[in-house]
Amino acid sequence: MGFFSTIFGIFGFGFGISIGLTVGYILFIYFQSTKVEDPEIKPLVDQDAESLQRMLPEIPNWIKNPDFDRVDWLNKFIELMWPYLEKAICKTAKNIAKPIIEEQIPKYKIDSVEFQTLTLGSLPPTFQGMKVYVTDEKELIMEPSIKWAGNPNVTIAVKAFGLKATVQVVDLQVFLLPRITLKPLVPSFPCFANIYVSLMEKPHVDFGLKLMGADLMSIPVAYGFVQELIKDQVANMYLWPKNMEVQILDPAKALRRPVGILHVKVLHAMKLKKKDLLGASDPYVKLKFNDDKMPSKKTTVKHKNLNPEWNEEFNLVVKDPETQVLELNVYDWEQVGKHDRMGMNAITLKEVSPEETKRFTLDLLKTLDPNDPQNEKSRGQIVVELTYKPFNEEEMGKGFDETQTIPKAPEGTPAGGGLLVVIVHEAQDVEGKYHTNPHVRVIFRGEEKKTKRIKKNRDPRWEDEFQFPVEEPPTNDKLHVEVVSTSSRNLLHQKETLGYVNINLGDVVSNKRINEKYHLIDSKNGRIQVELQWRTS
């Protein structure tokens, strides 16, 4: 009986399962709704931003945001250069991280932290778009959207309490929106002195972390904790307006900021040659550095004298004592016509030791070319004394931010007054009807000063500076800035105005410094950039 009971039990179980599946299927078909509606389909243009982001999470920023430009060319460039960029970035990262690690490890009683391996792998980051800001300052601001799913290998060895542990970072994913500022822009390659990096939002960072071969990120609690900890720490250090600064060039040399004063005393000249047909010459001396845009310093004119005595003193600002050269030119003054040059010579600043007065007796030459045969002819001599006084560190300043502070007015300025400084930088889209050889007239309280003239240029750059001593703040005054073109060839229209602007000076008195572009009146599209400073004692 036991055998038959088993057989019937198995048969009953199989039969019951079959009957149950059949009945279930019939009920499912019977109760299934026969009314099926077509899905609602909307075009992408009708979707809101949140729905689009959910459907297409990898949309690049240049599609979502019109302020971002597409930079496929940059991604191609990075892809080709990545084998070399990767090595350079790793070297720079080590140099940046080393002092930070050395500063931090004593707080945690760690003996040492060293990079055993540091490679960024073969997969370069990609730029999803880039936003560029245009300002009137000497800077370039960029905001790239960066995504990087790389295969780096970063192994760090940590030694503490006589033990050694290795930590390995793998499978790194980083999504960043940094702000990169290159400033100040300078006339030396690579044309910027510092890089400032800030984060505009918290970064997304995902990676694998192996300690002694075990993957710590496989622990759910540790994964979330480490992710948030890294985001918060990075944000605390670099979230805008905080930034990381990387110095590329020495600011003092790159900006050619003043590093000292050269005191020049023009003593006398000897045995000068006659230039006037009816008598002796009327000599005077012009002094300037070879690369300086500032006007030359001039001595007084000694009339009808071939052995003049001046004993006059001048101060010149030194920006690079290793390369600058002081040029001395002796001229014969003429009441009418061009002044004739009687001779010249030059002194390199490397010949002058700091804080020591040195006397030079120089033969006057026709040119500074040592192979010029005309230099063999005697033209007389000139005697000068030079003293170079370098600034100390406090006077020079240590960073770019300090260069943006406004200097004080010179000694002797009235207590309620100051110095109005006008720097004419450049202009765009200026065009004359008959000619375009622009220069700028700057008029303040009836006193007029002019920039140099630039021939045949609709976008001239002057970078000329003018100073107006004022006994009281010019709160209610206006500065007249006029762009003028002149031509000696066009006799009927030798001079014409290309546009002008009147600038209220109340703002510069309040803010100490303004640097703006102004639309020129009586000009179709012309603009001019003028920087104003108000310096007080």
Side-chain angles (χ1 to χ4, degrees), residues 14-47:
F15 181 77
I17 289 293
S18 301
I19 294 297
L21 290 175
T22 303
V23 173
Y25 178 74
I26 293 172
L27 292 176
F28 174 78
I29 296 297
Y30 180 78
F31 288 105
Q32 179 69 25
S33 176
T34 57
K35 186 180 180 181
V36 179
E37 297 181 356
D38 294 332
E40 184 180 359
I41 300 175
K42 292 183 179 180
L44 288 177
V45 293
D46 294 338
Q47 302 289 340

Side-chain angles (χ1 to χ4, degrees), residues 366-422:
K366 178 68 175 179
T367 67
L368 295 179
D369 183 359
N371 300 319
D372 191 340
Q374 298 183 80
N375 290 334
E376 297 178 1
K377 182 180 178 180
S378 176
R379 290 178 170 78
Q381 294 178 316
I382 185 171
V383 182
V384 296
E385 286 183 352
L386 304 184
T387 306
Y388 171 50
K389 296 183 177 181
F391 295 147
N392 56 36
E393 288 295 327
E394 294 180 358
E395 292 171 328
M396 288 176 58
K398 298 181 180 180
F400 173 76
D401 292 336
E402 296 184 17
T403 67
Q404 299 300 293
T405 60
I406 305 303
K408 292 184 177 181
E411 295 182 3
T413 302
L419 188 69
L420 176 66
V421 179
V422 182

Side-chain angles (χ1 to χ4, degrees), residues 241-258:
K242 297 178 182 179
N243 60 62
M244 176 181 67
E245 177 183 354
V246 180
Q247 188 179 72
I248 304 301
L249 299 174
D250 182 358
K253 293 183 178 180
L255 286 168
R256 295 185 62 81
R257 292 163 53 192

Side-chain angles (χ1 to χ4, degrees), residues 114 116-117 153-158 165-170 207-213 216:
E114 298 177 352
Q116 282 191 345
T117 308
N153 183 9
V154 182
T155 305
I156 301 174
V158 182
T166 57
V167 180
Q168 185 180 17
V169 179
V170 295
F207 57 91
L209 186 64
K210 293 184 178 181
L211 177 62
M212 307 294 291
L216 297 181

Side-chain angles (χ1 to χ4, degrees), residues 326-530:
L326 176 66
E327 295 182 354
L328 302 100
N329 292 271
V330 181
Y331 285 88
D332 177 32
W333 179 83
E334 296 290 346
Q335 189 170 4
V336 179
K338 184 179 180 181
H339 299 182
D340 294 327
R341 186 163 64 186
M342 305 177 70
M344 65 181 303
N345 212 317
I347 303 171
T348 59
L349 262 62
K350 290 192 295 186
E351 301 179 49
V352 185
S353 300
E355 304 293 350
E356 294 183 8
T357 300
K358 187 173 182 180
R359 176 174 291 199
F360 293 85
T361 300
L362 306 172
D363 294 325
L364 294 177
L365 309 173
K366 178 68 175 179
T367 67
L368 295 179
D369 183 359
N371 300 319
D372 191 340
Q374 298 183 80
N375 290 334
E376 297 178 1
K377 182 180 178 180
S378 176
R379 290 178 170 78
Q381 294 178 316
I382 185 171
V383 182
V384 296
E385 286 183 352
L386 304 184
T387 306
Y388 171 50
K389 296 183 177 181
F391 295 147
N392 56 36
E393 288 295 327
E394 294 180 358
E395 292 171 328
M396 288 176 58
K398 298 181 180 180
F400 173 76
D401 292 336
E402 296 184 17
T403 67
Q404 299 300 293
T405 60
I406 305 303
K408 292 184 177 181
E411 295 182 3
T413 302
L419 188 69
L420 176 66
V421 179
V422 182
I423 304 174
V424 182
H425 288 294
E426 60 182 356
Q428 290 91 30
D429 295 328
V430 292
E431 185 174 12
K433 185 176 181 181
Y434 303 100
H435 43 76
T436 306
N437 306 313
H439 72 273
V440 178
R441 298 171 62 227
V442 178
I443 303 175
F444 174 69
R445 292 184 178 178
E447 184 178 356
E448 178 179 337
K449 297 187 178 182
K450 299 179 180 180
T451 67
K452 55 183 173 290
R453 185 172 73 114
I454 301 179
K455 295 183 179 180
K456 298 180 180 179
N457 196 324
R458 293 184 56 192
D459 302 302
R461 177 181 289 271
W462 295 283
E463 301 294 347
D464 286 346
E465 177 179 320
F466 308 106
Q467 299 181 353
F468 298 92
V470 186
E471 294 186 358
E472 58 184 14
T475 307
N476 300 318
D477 290 273
K478 291 185 177 182
L479 182 74
H480 182 79
V481 180
E482 182 180 2
V483 184
V484 180
S485 176
T486 58
S487 175
S488 58
R489 295 182 179 181
N490 194 322
L491 299 179
L492 295 178
H493 303 92
Q494 290 188 345
K495 179 180 177 180
E496 63 174 311
T497 298
L498 307 185
Y500 71 93
V501 64
N502 293 317
I503 304 174
N504 292 317
L505 298 179
D507 289 341
V508 69
V509 175
S510 302
N511 300 321
K512 303 301 181 184
R513 174 181 179 268
I514 57 176
N515 183 13
E516 296 183 5
K517 288 184 179 180
Y518 302 90
H519 290 278
L520 292 169
I521 301 173
D522 292 343
S523 174
K524 185 177 181 181
N525 298 310
R527 294 178 300 163
I528 187 168
Q529 182 181 350
V530 180

Side-chain angles (χ1 to χ4, degrees), residues 192-411:
F192 55 88
N194 297 315
I195 301 176
Y196 297 84
V197 181
S198 299
L199 297 177
M200 304 310 295
E201 58 186 33
K202 283 188 176 182
H204 169 77
V205 182
D206 191 3
F207 57 91
L209 186 64
K210 293 184 178 181
L211 177 62
M212 307 294 291
D215 190 358
L216 297 181
M217 294 296 99
S218 61
I219 305 174
V221 177
Y223 176 80
F225 174 76
V226 172
Q227 295 292 322
E228 291 302 319
L229 179 64
I230 291 176
K231 290 181 182 179
D232 292 340
Q233 289 297 323
V234 173
N236 290 336
M237 295 173 63
Y238 302 120
L239 192 63
W240 191 88
K242 297 178 182 179
N243 60 62
M244 176 181 67
E245 177 183 354
V246 180
Q247 188 179 72
I248 304 301
L249 299 174
D250 182 358
K253 293 183 178 180
L255 286 168
R256 295 185 62 81
R257 292 163 53 192
V259 296
I261 295 292
L262 181 66
H263 181 76
V264 183
K265 186 174 183 180
V266 182
L267 299 175
H268 57 90
M270 304 170 290
K271 300 179 181 179
L272 300 180
K273 300 304 177 183
K274 295 181 180 181
K275 286 288 184 178
D276 298 339
L277 296 177
L278 302 178
S281 300
D282 305 316
Y284 70 92
V285 183
K286 292 176 68 174
L287 310 167
K288 71 170 298 182
F289 285 125
N290 59 324
D291 57 352
D292 201 342
K293 296 181 180 180
M294 298 299 291
S296 302
K297 307 284 187 179
K298 298 179 183 179
T299 66
T300 57
V301 179
K302 300 298 182 180
H303 294 283
K304 298 181 180 180
N305 195 333
L306 298 179
N307 297 282
E309 295 275 350
W310 284 288
N311 293 315
E312 297 179 12
E313 299 179 5
F314 305 91
N315 290 323
L316 286 81
V317 177
V318 177
K319 297 181 179 179
D320 188 355
E322 295 297 319
T323 61
Q324 283 186 292
V325 177
L326 176 66
E327 295 182 354
L328 302 100
N329 292 271
V330 181
Y331 285 88
D332 177 32
W333 179 83
E334 296 290 346
Q335 189 170 4
V336 179
K338 184 179 180 181
H339 299 182
D340 294 327
R341 186 163 64 186
M342 305 177 70
M344 65 181 303
N345 212 317
I347 303 171
T348 59
L349 262 62
K350 290 192 295 186
E351 301 179 49
V352 185
S353 300
E355 304 293 350
E356 294 183 8
T357 300
K358 187 173 182 180
R359 176 174 291 199
F360 293 85
T361 300
L362 306 172
D363 294 325
L364 294 177
L365 309 173
K366 178 68 175 179
T367 67
L368 295 179
D369 183 359
N371 300 319
D372 191 340
Q374 298 183 80
N375 290 334
E376 297 178 1
K377 182 180 178 180
S378 176
R379 290 178 170 78
Q381 294 178 316
I382 185 171
V383 182
V384 296
E385 286 183 352
L386 304 184
T387 306
Y388 171 50
K389 296 183 177 181
F391 295 147
N392 56 36
E393 288 295 327
E394 294 180 358
E395 292 171 328
M396 288 176 58
K398 298 181 180 180
F400 173 76
D401 292 336
E402 296 184 17
T403 67
Q404 299 300 293
T405 60
I406 305 303
K408 292 184 177 181
E411 295 182 3

